[in-house]
Amino acid sequence: MSAVETYAAEAHGINKRFGPIEVLHDVGISIPVGDARALVGRNGAGKSTLVGLLTGLYGANAGEIRLGGRPAPSLGDRQGWRERVACVYQRWMVIPHLTVAENLFLNNQPRNGLGLVDWRRLREESIAVLDDWGLDVAPDLDAWRLTVEQRQIVEIARALLQGSRFIILDEPTAELERREVNRLFERIRGLQEQGVTFLYISHHLEEIYEICRTVSVMRDGRVVADARLDELPKDRLVAAMVGEFAASGAGRKSGNSASKARMTSGLDIGGLTVKDSLENIDLSVHCGECVGLAGLAGSGKDKIAEAVAGLLNPDAGSIAIHGTKTPLGDVGAMRAAGVGYVARDRHVSGLFPLMSLGDNLTTTVLPKLGPFGFVSTGRQSDMVDRQIAELGIVAASGSQPIGELSGGNQQKAMVGRALASDPKVLVLAAPTQGVDIASKDALYRIINAARDRGMAVLVVSDDLDELAICDRVEVIFRGRLTRSFARGWSDQDVVAAIEGLY
Amino acid sequence: MTNASLEKAAIARPSQGLFDRFRLRELVLIPVIAVVIVIGSFVSSSFLMPENLLNILQQSSELSILVIAQSLILICGKFDLSLESTVGIAPMFAAWLMISDVSIGGSGIGISGYAGIAVVLATGLLIGLINGLLVVKLRLNAFITTLAMLILLRGITLGITNGQTLFDLPEEFLYLGNAKWLGIPASIWIAGLLFLFFGLMMRYHRIGRAIYAIGGNPEAARVAGIPVERITLGVFIMGSLLASLAGLLLTGRIASVVSSQGQNMIFYVFAASVIGGISLNGGQGRIIGALTGVLLLGLLQNVLTLSQVAAFWIDACYGAIILLALIITRLSGETPRA
């Protein structure tokens, strides 16, 4: 191996902007050949942007990327990128209706003298590869029938077949069982011995200590630490992820201390179980209490919220509002029982962007606005005007299309819609995601006011600022509630629990 | 690979039989076709006469070329409604240029028959290019874009000649549509060769496999280094080119261009493709399956006509059969995860 080729991947002085927002600032990373590097950071730290740059999905605004010691190919040269770096994404990157064999050799099929696909050789070579990986599937199987584990192995095997010796794994274990994770790790170790370089992205820090040698920590669009893992204890790794200032979050934000805790039961979840994602969840939120439910994406926290909203019918368990059990898996029944729900992504499951602010605010309460399903415009606009004033929404009028409002005002309207039916229980998933700082404060005030009126509030989030308004934080990890923090927690402990370190 | 692992593989994975290789779905229509043929032979003694069978094939030949075109586009994950208007406008435009007598609707230019054929194909190519650019580059929705093209092109076809039918076309221009090679109409040969060519291309050429990959998961195809946009554009162009060829053959067979030429064909094109196992979701189906779909529709129409079912009821039968085929496909197949 020549001297120049000692780095599998390098990035120097990378800046990356999406529109006006700079998401990477002067990022540098160097991964030596044969290394197993972990890339960690909280959501929004810039990990996926960096991966996008390293795999040629988009270009940097400034800085240089080198792969295998040479400058990276141009963005259009997919073939060039493919030979030097491969990424196993969380999304399915197999072609569902082509066979396993063809997926292994996608766009790389063995060909005969006429340049035509040689199906017999394709099949034979695939069998050799599958045997090599100990993967017990028929080469003629349609790829959509593969399990998540088999799919990942097919994608890793494909990357190696196409000549790539540098593989990025983007949260490969998010959907795997423990046994499957172990098998994947065995394979990764085997490849490491053969000199394959890995960049491993995971939120599960314990896994990183298991199979990585070095780690790069990202925070707020910068690489803030590069270290050997055997020299970096877990608490210092978490401290690097959370940042110096926030690290001692104890006593942060006293707020209106809701320690009055009248202890009237508001929301009671008992034994909630959803196959493969939630196990026997017991969670109670009292009236006038705000509880944070924290966990990674895929930890099951959103499933709990959806179950309470009636969007998901659990396999077992019960949900009670003010002590009365509700029918499960029925949105209408849940709303009638007194649940107000603000879904995670307002653009996907909240807004009707072309409809007016007023229509958006009153979506859930139209039956109350007139007889026989007719909507009294007078009553509607009265209600809308009252809500706009209460929520502090900045808009020309209730008839302005909601799509024209700022993200913060849209989100206020989403919370307003949930509050319109005057619920007993308010469930909010990431309620301040993607809104500016002033709107965040306004939203916190709205949520606090709802709690002080006696609502049971459940905030589903892994954002420390959002959790800071809660009286208590419950942490869910891989479908189980693992820890509970009373007010006065340290952010570092909460993050460590979210990432599954304890 | 070692001998041991070869043996292990041989034990673990027996080699496929012919039936497996084609899969059930592609050949599911063969028994149905057989049943229709048996019924047809009872219904009328003339059904099995060679003339009648050739007649069925010739009448299906233009439809079948359109089915190839639509199948390519469907497998690529898009679709093109405007193919039927291309069948009309391409020969109409050429005919207009060829006829030198203004009084019967010509342009007065009077280009030759060979030039006319070139105009037909060039028109098809241009329409495909426009469709492709709109859908691929501007990312317009394929349904509404090609629906607009269907209406636009049909309107132009009527406008060119004020709705007149154009006769008196040069012999060379009509040749492919009415010639016989070795006693069999040339259009049957052409359709057959096209099926063979595209069937083999989709199976054995890397571009064919890339089309399946794009239709199955365009993002994964892009990551695998397949030039997704270029191939999709090419597929649109090839589709319209084939449609213009079908228009040329149709014109040759009836020795004139009617302004409604091709009208409503798109429904039968989709019907034959879908019955033949081409999925509207892209990435699925085979050209041979599409061929069985066309044959089934052609035979069915013939049998229904011979058994003196009123023409008005034939369409109802078609509709019922298409629904039945869809229900059977859904019930027999498993649905993959998205």
Side-chain angles (χ1 to χ4, degrees), chain B residues 130-141:
Chain B
I130 294 171
N131 277 332
L133 288 176
L134 290 175
V135 172
V136 175
K137 296 289 181 193
L138 280 188
R139 293 170 194 280
L140 298 183
N141 176 288

Side-chain angles (χ1 to χ4, degrees), chain A residues 82 91-97 102 107 109 111 116-117 119 123 127-128 131 135 137 139 142 144-146, chain B residues 1 5 9 13-14 16 23 203-204 206 209 213 216-217 219-220 222-226 283-284 334 336-337:
Chain A
R82 208 159 61 108
R91 301 183 299 272
W92 283 65
M93 281 297 188
V94 294
I95 312 286
H97 289 284
E102 199 172 357
N107 203 28
Q109 301 96 340
R111 271 172 281 163
L116 299 174
V117 177
W119 287 98
R123 195 163 182 280
I127 290 175
D131 283 345
L135 199 57
V137 299
D142 274 359
W144 62 268
R145 292 172 185 271
L146 294 173
Chain B
M1 192 163 69
S5 68
R13 305 181 182 101
Q16 303 163 280
R23 308 208 197 158
R203 178 70 182 152
Y204 289 102
R206 60 183 315 193
R209 301 320 293 170
N217 183 347
E219 206 182 349
R222 189 170 286 119
V223 169
I226 293 168
Q284 266 176 294
E334 294 162 79
R337 62 189 96 190

Side-chain angles (χ1 to χ4, degrees), chain B residues 101-180:
Chain B
D101 186 347
V102 186
S103 65
I104 56 169
S107 61
I109 299 172
I111 61 171
S112 77
Y114 293 113
I117 292 174
V119 167
V120 169
L121 298 178
T123 309
L125 194 139
L126 181 71
I127 294 168
L129 183 68
I130 294 171
N131 277 332
L133 288 176
L134 290 175
V135 172
V136 175
K137 296 289 181 193
L138 280 188
R139 293 170 194 280
L140 298 183
N141 176 288
F143 177 86
I144 201 67
T145 307
T146 59
L147 178 65
M149 281 299 273
L150 173 140
I151 298 167
L152 173 70
L153 296 177
R154 179 63 60 200
I156 296 176
T157 312
L158 287 164
I160 292 176
T161 60
N162 298 325
Q164 268 184 287
T165 301
L166 299 189
F167 302 96
D168 258 349
L169 302 170
E171 205 43 51
E172 312 87 71
F173 190 77
L174 301 178
Y175 174 78
L176 284 178
N178 62 19
K180 285 199 172 187

Side-chain angles (χ1 to χ4, degrees), chain A residues 67-368:
Chain A
L67 293 172
R70 286 172 294 157
S74 68
L75 279 187
D77 181 11
R78 287 304 323 167
Q79 195 73 25
W81 283 94
R82 208 159 61 108
E83 283 161 11
R84 294 204 251 160
V85 54
C87 184
V88 177
Y89 298 89
Q90 285 170 278
R91 301 183 299 272
W92 283 65
M93 281 297 188
V94 294
I95 312 286
H97 289 284
L98 297 186
T99 63
V100 169
E102 199 172 357
N103 269 290
L104 280 170
F105 288 89
L106 191 62
N107 203 28
N108 189 26
Q109 301 96 340
R111 271 172 281 163
N112 61 21
L114 295 168
L116 299 174
V117 177
D118 187 338
W119 287 98
R120 218 168 50 106
R121 244 177 72 213
L122 176 74
R123 195 163 182 280
E124 281 167 5
E125 290 180 22
S126 304
I127 290 175
V129 171
L130 292 171
D131 283 345
D132 211 28
W133 282 87
L135 199 57
D136 185 25
V137 299
D140 318 305
L141 193 74
D142 274 359
W144 62 268
R145 292 172 185 271
L146 294 173
T147 65
V148 177
E149 181 192 17
Q150 291 167 338
R151 186 263 304 183
Q152 285 179 337
I153 292 165
V154 165
E155 290 188 34
I156 296 174
R158 174 167 73 194
L160 293 169
L161 282 170
Q162 287 165 349
S164 170
R165 306 288 290 162
F166 172 42
I167 296 181
I168 300 175
L169 298 171
D170 190 358
E171 291 205 47
T173 61
E175 294 177 70
L176 294 187
E177 307 269 325
R178 188 64 229 177
R179 201 162 32 91
E180 299 170 332
V181 172
N182 289 339
R183 280 205 295 262
L184 177 69
F185 285 180
E186 272 167 41
R187 294 188 169 114
I188 291 177
R189 284 195 202 97
L191 288 170
Q192 281 172 10
E193 279 160 25
Q194 296 166 31
V196 175
T197 313
F198 282 93
L199 179 63
Y200 188 93
I201 298 162
S202 178
H203 276 294
H204 299 300
L205 298 184
E206 88 278 21
E207 289 178 6
I208 283 168
Y209 281 93
E210 209 173 315
I211 61 157
C212 294
R213 223 170 355 228
T214 58
V215 63
S216 294
V217 183
M218 293 192 75
R219 190 177 72 231
D220 301 331
R222 297 171 204 279
V223 174
V224 292
D226 264 312
R228 291 177 56 92
L229 276 166
D230 49 13
E231 293 167 358
L232 188 73
K234 288 181 184 176
D235 53 338
R236 284 191 34 219
L237 178 58
V238 174
M241 289 168 63
V242 177
E244 306 291 330
F245 296 106
S248 59
R252 144 196 190 127
K253 168 101 180 173
S254 54
N256 4 17
S257 66
S259 50
K260 42 194 164 188
R262 282 164 302 178
M263 296 310 232
T264 2
S265 55
L267 169 68
D268 286 296
I269 300 171
L272 193 69
T273 300
V274 174
K275 195 170 170 294
D276 296 331
S277 45
L278 288 179
E279 251 176 84
N280 212 9
I281 301 287
D282 292 310
L283 180 66
S284 294
V285 184
H286 302 300
C287 288
E289 188 186 27
C290 176
V291 172
L293 180 61
L296 298 172
S299 61
K301 66 177 194 296
D302 293 315
K303 292 251 161 72
I304 295 179
E306 285 170 14
V308 176
L311 290 166
L312 178 139
N313 197 359
D315 297 314
S318 65
I319 295 173
I321 309 291
H322 282 199
T324 315
K325 288 207 175 167
T326 56
L328 299 172
D330 180 339
V331 179
M334 278 300 183
R335 187 179 304 130
V339 174
Y341 175 61
V342 179
R344 168 167 295 275
D345 187 331
R346 62 175 175 275
H347 298 289
V348 175
S349 39
L351 294 177
F352 304 108
L354 299 178
M355 286 169 69
S356 73
L357 169 61
D359 285 336
N360 269 283
L361 278 167
T362 52
T363 313
T364 59
V365 291
L366 291 180
K368 292 185 190 168

Side-chain angles (χ1 to χ4, degrees), chain A residues 355-366 368-369 375-402 405 409 412-417 419-421:
Chain A
M355 286 169 69
S356 73
L357 169 61
D359 285 336
N360 269 283
L361 278 167
T362 52
T363 313
T364 59
V365 291
L366 291 180
K368 292 185 190 168
L369 294 176
V375 177
S376 146
T377 47
R379 271 202 255 175
Q380 188 184 24
S381 67
D382 286 350
M383 179 168 196
V384 168
D385 290 342
R386 207 171 55 239
Q387 280 180 301
I388 290 176
E390 268 171 28
L391 300 165
I393 296 174
V394 182
S397 77
S399 55
Q400 189 177 10
I402 198 164
L405 303 185
N409 284 309
K412 284 182 213 164
M414 289 300 99
V415 178
R417 180 196 292 172
L419 291 172
S421 54

